[in-house]
Amino acid sequence: MLLTEVILDFRDPPTATRQEPALAVFLDGPLVIDLLGLGGTERESNAKQITDGLRRMSCKLKAFSHSCDEIRDNLRAVLQQPRGQRFGPTAEAIRRPELAEDYANAVLNNVEHFVQNEIGIDVSNWGMELFPNEHPY
């Protein structure tokens, strides 16, 4: 029930709630992969619907650098295999063909550039400064 309400709020954000311009939302690797179009056009469209809703609510979209490492590792795992032995959303998108293999290789070679410059998501390194309520021991 709660997940359904969240999805509906993305589609039609409630006007009574206060918008927080400083709210940062960190996206995980699989969602960023979809935003980059590496999982096919349908997955890209779904991911953009979510992030467009977040942007309309004045959220700052970010990803951790380790998510970029995850994307790089996933792409490498797919692209290093012979074409007939590839599996997963990226392999399927290349086969359909909804994804150019050259584009996937370009992203593999510079994930951070594509995340920051192509889809407008800041990449941050994890650190205690991101969590002012936490204290190191």
Side-chain angles (χ1 to χ4, degrees):
M1 175 77 170
L2 181 61
L3 181 59
T4 304
E5 290 176 18
V6 170
I7 291 170
L8 291 174
D9 284 349
F10 280 130
R11 295 175 75 187
D12 186 25
T15 56
T17 60
R18 184 178 77 133
Q19 293 183 348
E20 180 60 55
L23 181 65
V25 177
F26 284 84
L27 307 178
D28 67 346
L31 183 59
V32 176
I33 286 173
D34 291 343
L35 284 170
L36 288 166
L38 298 169
T41 55
E42 185 175 343
R43 293 171 75 104
E44 180 181 9
S45 175
N46 292 338
K48 283 184 178 179
Q49 184 177 5
I50 292 168
T51 56
D52 287 349
L54 290 169
R55 284 185 170 121
R56 280 193 303 274
M57 293 188 298
S58 301
C59 296
K60 295 178 184 177
L61 302 183
K62 298 181 176 243
F64 285 119
S65 58
H66 66 262
S67 294
C68 291
D69 295 338
E70 177 186 6
I71 293 166
R72 187 177 298 105
D73 291 343
N74 288 344
L75 283 173
R76 186 176 295 118
V78 171
L79 296 173
Q80 75 182 5
Q81 296 297 319
R83 288 181 193 262
Q85 295 179 3
R86 296 175 180 174
F87 62 93
T90 300
E92 292 298 321
I94 291 171
R95 253 191 298 278
R96 277 193 287 271
E98 296 177 359
L99 171 64
E101 191 167 338
D102 289 342
Y103 173 73
N105 276 304
V107 174
L108 171 65
N109 290 323
N110 197 349
V111 175
E112 290 82 359
H113 166 79
F114 282 88
V115 171
Q116 291 177 353
N117 299 319
E118 298 296 321
I119 58 175
I121 295 174
D122 293 330
V123 176
S124 300
N125 289 318
W126 189 93
M128 290 299 289
E129 66 278 358
L130 294 174
F131 306 97
N133 58 321
E134 297 290 325
H135 303 284
Y137 292 100

